[in-house]
Every structure is written in C-alpha cells, then in structure tokens.
Amino acid sequence: MSFRCGHGADAGAAGVVALGRVCPLCMLIDETHRSRAELLGRVAPPHRTALARETRVGASYEWVCTRGHDRYTATVREMLTGTACAKCRTSATAPAAVAEAGLPFMNPSLRTRTSQTEQRLKAMLAERIRLNHRVNAIHIARTFYSRREVWPDVIVPALRIAVEYDDPGRSRRAHLVLKEASDLEKDDALREVGWEVIRVRAGGLAPLGPHSVVCGQLTPDVVAEVVATMRRIRGDAAVDAISVGPLIAAAPETLDLG
C-alpha cells in the first residue's frame, strides 16, 4: 500500500493499492507537532531506512537515548507521545531532580515555534500583570517527551501559573485527540509540582482541564477573563501584587468570548 505522502510500498508495484491521503504515521506526526526527521535522529542507525518509509504507528524500533543511556525498544506512537527510556524515568525521581521540580528557569537552547497569536497573548497579559521574561521553562518531577521540563506559552512565576493558548490551526486538527491527551499530561505534570495551568481554547476547541477560557478568538475581554481566573486560583492579593496600572478587580460582567 502506498500513500500520497510517498510512504509505504513503491507506487505502481504489482499488487500495490494507492491511497490519496497521507499515511497514519504522517498524520500522527503532524498532530503531535513532531517530524519524521526528529524520529530518524533518535532511532538506532540500523533502523533508519525502515523508519523512513514506515506507515504504522504501532511499529516497534530500537531508540537511542539523548542522554547517553542504554538503547531501548518502544513503538513509534510511544515515542511521539512522550515515553522516555527507563533510566530517564528513574532519574526524574532522583533526590536532585525532586529538589528542583517546580522551579522556573531559562533554557537558552530552547527553540519552539511560537505563533503570532501566542506572542500577542503574552504582550496583552504584560499590559495587565508583570511577567518575568527571563524564564521559558519549568522543571517537573517526571519525564515529558524525554525531558524533565516543560515549556508553557506564558509563565507567571509569582503566581505559579502557566498560560497556554490552543487553537486548531490551519489543519483544524491541532490540540485534538493525541495532542489533547499530551496537553493534559503536561498540565498534570505541572500540577504535581505546585503549578496551575490556564488554557485559552480558541477556534471551537472544547474546555480542557479545570481552568479553561473558551473563545472564538483572542480579544482584550479574553485576556481580562484570564486575569480573573488567576484571581480565582491564587486570590486578589497575589494578583494585585503584580498588577500593572489600575487594579483589575474582575473580568467584565458582560463578557462575550465568542
């Protein structure tokens, strides 16, 4: 079987059926915002040729730990949804790792794709509360995508609150299904170390988690509701302490998030 993305059997070969869609693995890669090149960089060298043409999400391969631990076997689905090697999971619960869990920090090597809307959300929040622009990651007490850290869109260390912006994107599939499960796992990892997560769910996405702000698009009223949610989580005094300009008691009573 061959697919529109070019993976699978050779098109035109005897007995091959061609499908006019991308293969299941390519769809999962797109949904989880990963890439096949990233997988090829982590699979054991003898398996790279096979993985380059792989179409099955449940196929197992041998992977190389980025921290230099022993090679380990996992399915492609497990690799795309965050499973790390056994030694990485053990090190995440070591005393030193537990001691730094929950601490925000600056990871100078971090390169993430930030949308213009996420940048706008951060700028609009900065007009209402003081943000710490010297942190971009938070240590957690487990591994998440093989790392002991997560990278929220907006980090408010003074409140121990992270703000995430979710929308379905151009594909209309972002932050759905497996990515939604990954988002929940990320939120759980933050909650374990004393943080709360506010998710702005735009473009028709349903609420996710206990602190969701559902809207059609990002507006000043949506940002006001985010700040009001911070007040409900941490209290007025904590938010007032980092407020910029006049104190904001709550979101407008006639808030229209559509």
Side-chain angles (χ1 to χ4, degrees):
M1 185 173 293
S2 65
F3 296 87
R4 185 181 65 204
C5 56
H7 295 110
D10 293 331
V16 171
V17 177
L19 296 181
R21 63 177 178 84
V22 297
C23 73
L25 177 52
C26 284
M27 287 192 289
L28 180 60
I29 286 172
D30 179 65
E31 182 182 310
T32 54
H33 293 267
R34 311 299 285 273
S35 69
R36 195 176 287 258
E38 181 181 351
L39 290 175
L40 292 174
R42 297 184 60 182
V43 75
H47 300 297
R48 285 177 185 164
T49 300
L51 182 59
R53 297 186 57 78
E54 184 61 80
T55 63
R56 301 164 299 166
V57 298
S60 293
Y61 288 92
E62 190 175 66
W63 306 91
V64 178
C65 176
T66 57
R67 295 178 179 270
H69 295 147
D70 297 336
R71 294 183 181 183
Y72 58 97
T73 301
T75 66
V76 179
R77 182 192 294 272
E78 288 170 336
M79 287 301 299
L80 288 169
T81 54
T83 302
C85 78
K87 289 188 176 179
C88 282
R89 292 195 299 269
T90 300
S91 66
T93 59
V98 171
E100 67 180 10
L103 296 178
F105 68 102
M106 172 59 73
N107 182 343
S109 64
L110 182 59
R111 297 289 184 272
T112 58
R113 294 174 290 181
T114 303
S115 70
Q116 291 184 350
T117 307
E118 290 168 358
Q119 295 174 19
R120 185 163 152 255
L121 170 62
K122 191 168 187 177
M124 294 170 73
L125 277 172
E127 295 175 353
R128 294 171 177 268
I129 60 175
R130 292 193 301 275
L131 298 179
N132 187 334
H133 299 285
R134 295 185 296 275
V135 296
N136 62 2
I138 302 170
H139 289 293
I140 56 176
R142 63 166 86 170
T143 56
F144 182 74
Y145 287 98
S146 304
R147 295 175 179 270
R148 291 187 289 109
E149 63 188 60
V150 292
W151 318 310
D153 296 331
V154 182
I155 298 174
V156 189
L159 303 177
R160 294 178 77 83
I161 287 176
V163 182
E164 300 276 23
Y165 177 83
D166 305 335
D167 68 33
R170 294 181 179 179
S171 69
R172 309 307 298 173
R173 295 197 309 271
H175 294 283
L176 295 171
V177 196
L178 283 175
K179 185 59 171 65
E180 187 173 275
S182 175
D183 288 339
L184 285 172
E185 182 183 353
K186 180 180 180 180
D187 294 356
D188 287 344
L190 283 167
R191 201 167 292 115
E192 286 174 0
V193 295
W195 286 70
E196 291 293 339
V197 180
I198 299 173
R199 286 196 172 271
V200 178
R201 302 279 288 175
L205 294 179
L208 186 69
H211 308 300
S212 293
V213 178
V214 179
C215 61
Q217 60 184 350
L218 184 63
T219 66
D221 282 350
V222 171
V223 177
E225 177 62 18
V226 170
V227 176
T229 304
M230 292 178 179
R231 292 180 177 278
R232 291 193 289 271
I233 296 171
R234 299 301 187 204
D236 288 338
V239 178
D240 289 346
I242 61 171
S243 292
V244 175
L247 298 182
I248 306 165
E253 292 183 1
T254 58
L255 183 63
D256 180 9
L257 302 184

